[in-house]
Amino acid sequence: MKRDNRIFCNQCGKELKLEGDIVREGYFPADVTFGYFSNKDGLRHRWDLCEQCYDALIRSFQIPVEETERNEMI
Ligand SMILES: [Zn+2]
């Protein structure tokens, strides 16, 4: 969640480390707009998770995430 040029994890409330506009740690920025066939037609949800909360979330999945390695980080 962005507030006053700061970003917070929506799950635990922790403030993420920022340098300028760049987040200097692992995090998960979610931005989804639900379409016509959903029950939230046209609604947009924006939220952020810190890496710890992201890890806890994916550990709760019934089906693991697909994981691959990128050779080049930008
Ligand atoms: Zn968190």
Side-chain angles (χ1 to χ4, degrees):
M1 174 201 47
K2 292 190 174 88
R3 184 201 291 156
D4 302 332
N5 294 323
R6 299 156 80 193
I7 300 182
F8 298 86
C9 171
N10 282 70
Q11 175 70 29
C12 71
K14 183 181 96 141
E15 183 173 0
L16 300 173
K17 292 187 200 84
L18 272 182
E19 249 179 57
D21 289 340
I22 312 282
V23 179
R24 303 296 289 188
E25 60 182 298
Y27 83 119
F28 175 76
D31 187 345
V32 60
T33 301
F34 289 92
Y36 180 75
F37 295 105
S38 73
N39 294 319
K40 304 181 209 32
D41 185 16
L43 278 185
R44 180 183 182 192
H45 284 184
R46 264 282 304 125
W47 47 278
D48 301 287
L49 285 183
C50 72
E51 190 169 9
Q52 289 83 355
C53 291
Y54 175 84
D55 288 343
L57 173 68
I58 66 172
R59 271 198 304 272
S60 73
F61 288 179
Q62 294 296 313
I63 299 170
V65 300
E66 289 179 35
E67 188 171 76
T68 54
E69 272 188 41
R70 267 175 66 176
N71 293 325
E72 275 181 44
M73 297 293 285
I74 50 167

